């Protein structure tokens, strides 16, 4: 198989960052090849909760100061794409909820005062009551306050499927990656013995970036992993709930999203504080017990006696200096022909692509002479986690 291919942009990693970027570049007329070593979306992306944040969550602890940050514009950009009139045509992608809710079970006035004072949420948050409450909270015993945030929740598996369609013939299943040098400069990569030359190479491999950088003998940027221990509950009596439940601290006590399983039942997917910190020291049984207690305290009217429970450990991959980087922008850095980054959120995939496009523009990279692509071995799309864990 001694084929040599030429392309404009070679992308490594087919999660949301690589797939969204690939579709944007193709739309701009660039030739691309996207290499995926496992399944499309199967890293963090299909394990995400699918919330398209507008930054409201960060306003809770003052990390978001204004509307200038990229994240504030994400719900609009995604909404337009979903309607088929945005930067990508994502019509057909499942919208699970057109709002995410903020739910305060008690009186957490301190947090909420600074939250509502923040410019980032002003005019974008409405209190809801009665039959406007999320179905799972519509109960006589429910006492808290609920605010509607103008944030979307997406069905991520259908998003990944759609982006795989928009990728056309550019997808390549490949595992073994080695650098190709010409005149001492990185000119492409050799993927499973196939040489691919490119004007630019983008590493968007999530937690795989660290290993790829090592293979290329590059020491920066450094990556950090943030481990999570998520909980999934599936049951015949569950009703939809998309909400951050506030606790005393800056982070949501629990963040609940709801996903449709193939057998018609709903699955609650639980993240937030319950999936971090001490959760890492709990084994699966102890983590399930902790979640059962939390749901029992917060939603005592929900009958979970016939529910099935599972946990999922997954690492979030981010740039190591993320303590210094604002939580509301994607991260991209470049050196020579190599660009490396992490979107840091599913919601920020459009910002990640913007940053790559801006770098190409800065460097005067335009669509060039690319090879006709032969039939390439194609990676599969990851299956929804709520189908694989139960
Ligand atoms: P990934 O999705 O991890 O994709 C990287 C891909 O690269 C994988 O498919 C992997 O197989 C591939 N790869 C790795 N190494 C190689 C290699 N050597 N060669 C080829 N391919 C390779 N964000 C939000 O905005 N909203 C949310 O609600 C949200 N919830 C989350 C919940 C959880 C539990 C987690 C873990 C994250 C959540 N996030 C959320 C964050 C979001 O999921 C990630 O920021 C985003 O999915 C990262 O996308 P990515 O494409 O960079 O990485």
């Amino acid at each position: 198989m001694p084929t040599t291919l030429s392309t404009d942009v070679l992308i490594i990693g087919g999660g949301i960052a690589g797939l969204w970027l690939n579709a944007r570049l193709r739309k701009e007329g660039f030739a691309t090849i996207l290499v995926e070593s496992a399944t499309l979306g199967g890293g963090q992306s299909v394990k995400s909760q699918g919330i398209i944040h507008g930054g409201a969550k960060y306003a809770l602890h003052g990390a978001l100061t204004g509307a200038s940050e990229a994240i504030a514009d994400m719900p609009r950009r995604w909404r337009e794409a979903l309607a088929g009139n945005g930067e990508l045509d994502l019509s057909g992608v499942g919208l699970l909820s057109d709002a995410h809710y903020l739910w305060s079970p008690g009186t957490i006035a301190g947090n909420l005062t600074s939250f509502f004072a923040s410019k980032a949420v002003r005019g974008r948050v409405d209190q809801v009551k009665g039959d406007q409450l999320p179905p799972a909270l519509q109960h006589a015993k429910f006492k808290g306050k609920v605010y509607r945030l103008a944030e979307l929740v997406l069905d991520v598996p259908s998003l990944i499927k759609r982006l795989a369609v928009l990728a056309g013939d550019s997808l390549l299943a490949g595992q073994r990656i080695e650098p190709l040098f010409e005149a001492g400069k990185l000119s492409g990569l050799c993927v499973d013995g196939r040489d691919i030359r490119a004007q630019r190479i983008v590493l968007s491999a999530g937690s795989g970036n660290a290993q790829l950088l090592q293979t290329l003998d590059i020491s920066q940027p450094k990556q950090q992993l943030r481990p999570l221990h998520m909980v999934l509950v599936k049951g015949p009596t569950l009703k939809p709930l998309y909400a951050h439940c506030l606790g005393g601290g800056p982070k949501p006590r629990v963040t609940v999203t709801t996903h449709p399983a193939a057998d018609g039942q709903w699955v609650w997917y639980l993240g937030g504080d319950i999936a971090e910190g001490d959760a890492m020291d709990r084994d699966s049984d102890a983590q399930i017990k902790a979640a059962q207690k939390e749901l029992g305290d917060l939603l005592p009217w929900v009958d979970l006696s016939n529910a099935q429970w599972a946990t999922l450990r997954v690492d979030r991959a981010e740039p190591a200096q993320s303590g210094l980087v604002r939580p509301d922008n994607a991260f991209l850095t470049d050196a020579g022909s190599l660009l490396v980054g992490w979107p840091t959120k599913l919601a920020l995939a459009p910002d990640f692509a913007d940053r790559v496009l801006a770098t190409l523009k800065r460097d005067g990279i335009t669509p060039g002479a690319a090879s006709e692509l032969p039939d390439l071995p194609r990676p599969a799309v990851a299956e929804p986690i709520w189908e694989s864990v139960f």
Side-chain angles (χ1 to χ4, degrees), residues 13 15-17 36-37 44-45 48-51 316 343-347:
I16 188 64
E36 168 55 52
S37 60
Q44 299 154 86
S45 297
S48 86
Q49 293 189 277
I51 306 164
R316 283 182 86 137
T344 73
K345 289 194 172 41
L346 178 102

Side-chain angles (χ1 to χ4, degrees), residues 11-19 35-53 58 71 174-175 177 204-209 211-212 226 228 230 255 257 269 271 312 314-317 341-348 352:
I11 303 169
I12 308 298
I16 188 64
L19 285 167
V35 180
E36 168 55 52
S37 60
T39 51
L40 297 169
Q44 299 154 86
S45 297
V46 294
K47 295 169 190 145
S48 86
Q49 293 189 277
I51 306 164
I52 304 300
H53 307 280
Y58 310 106
I71 200 156
Q175 260 98 39
I177 293 186
S204 56
S207 63
N209 277 349
Q211 177 64 52
L212 286 164
R226 205 147 48 87
L228 298 172
M230 306 290 285
T255 295
T257 48
Y269 192 25
L312 178 79
V314 52
D315 292 333
R316 283 182 86 137
W342 295 267
T344 73
K345 289 194 172 41
L346 178 102
L348 285 165
F352 182 82

